[in-house]
Amino acid sequence: RPGWLKAIMRGTMWFSMGLNMFLLILFMFIPYAQGIAFGKKLRDRFRDQQVETTVYCIERHPYLTESKNHMVWYHDALNPKVRFITVNKLKPLMDSLGNRPFVLLTTYNDLHRDSSDAALVQSTKPVMTSTDLLWSLNEYLQSKGANTINEIWAMYEIGR
């Protein structure tokens, strides 16, 4: 074999091993089921909530799958004082609430499906995400015009 072919093969092998190790370590710290991981964070955040709280969600709440099936076991662990209301668009919700503060839950893709919804919360940073790293990765992917990762949840506190 020529020396340059060995060098290419060796370089490819080391690159592949390095990339695989990086991804393996990364996936050890990022939960696979983002909706369930976010639901756990949500449960912890509202655990001691004494007052009835209404949480608005675009399209669906975190305890529903993309096909709108309920994840009952996880939902039952949530404080019963938390009530979810789903909306299709953010603008009518903001118009109906006026200047009253509210909590909004959404996935990255549901929020950015309609550019007017994304523009309404553009100046607001999420107070909680299922995974900050993947949320940032989605922002980067969208800026490059690439497809984003599904099921990355965020919670916004609008007007607070």
Side-chain angles (χ1 to χ4, degrees), residues 29-43:
F29 296 104
I30 296 176
Y32 171 72
Q34 291 294 305
I36 294 170
F38 186 73
K40 182 180 180 310
K41 286 183 177 182
L42 207 57
R43 182 196 69 205

Side-chain angles (χ1 to χ4, degrees), residues 19-32 131 133-134 137:
L19 182 62
N20 281 319
M21 286 303 294
F22 171 74
L23 290 174
L24 201 68
I25 291 168
L26 185 67
F27 289 146
M28 286 174 24
F29 296 104
I30 296 176
Y32 171 72
T131 305
L133 176 67
L134 292 181
L137 180 61

Side-chain angles (χ1 to χ4, degrees), residues 4-159:
W4 61 270
L5 185 57
K6 270 188 177 177
I8 289 175
M9 295 290 281
R10 185 173 289 135
T12 303
M13 182 187 68
W14 283 108
F15 175 75
S16 176
M17 285 178 15
L19 182 62
N20 281 319
M21 286 303 294
F22 171 74
L23 290 174
L24 201 68
I25 291 168
L26 185 67
F27 289 146
M28 286 174 24
F29 296 104
I30 296 176
Y32 171 72
Q34 291 294 305
I36 294 170
F38 186 73
K40 182 180 180 310
K41 286 183 177 182
L42 207 57
R43 182 196 69 205
D44 294 344
R45 180 156 184 127
F46 291 111
R47 176 170 299 195
D48 299 324
Q49 188 79 20
Q50 299 299 320
V51 182
E52 175 120 353
T53 302
T54 301
V55 177
Y56 296 94
C57 309
I58 297 178
E59 298 293 329
R60 61 192 171 92
H61 58 76
Y63 299 103
L64 286 177
T65 64
E66 284 188 88
S67 57
K68 307 262 195 267
N69 292 321
H70 289 274
M71 293 188 281
V72 177
W73 191 78
Y74 298 102
H75 186 268
D76 288 348
L78 186 65
N79 185 332
K81 299 269 187 194
V82 178
R83 183 173 61 126
F84 294 112
I85 296 180
T86 57
V87 296
N88 293 326
K89 307 254 313 145
L90 191 53
K91 179 78 169 119
L93 171 66
M94 292 179 89
D95 290 343
S96 70
L97 292 175
N99 290 332
R100 286 185 291 165
F102 65 96
V103 175
L104 175 71
L105 301 180
T106 183
T107 65
Y108 190 90
N109 290 350
D110 288 341
L111 179 63
H112 290 85
R113 184 169 292 132
D114 184 346
S115 59
S116 64
D117 282 351
L120 289 170
V121 297
Q122 192 170 25
S123 63
T124 309
K125 289 286 183 202
V127 293
M128 182 172 65
T129 62
S130 53
T131 305
D132 293 335
L133 176 67
L134 292 181
W135 188 268
S136 299
L137 180 61
N138 267 355
E139 289 175 335
Y140 173 76
L141 290 171
Q142 184 175 14
S143 74
K144 298 298 180 188
N147 290 333
T148 56
I149 303 167
N150 294 332
E151 290 300 297
I152 310 303
W153 284 90
M155 178 172 123
Y156 291 90
E157 292 179 344
I158 310 290

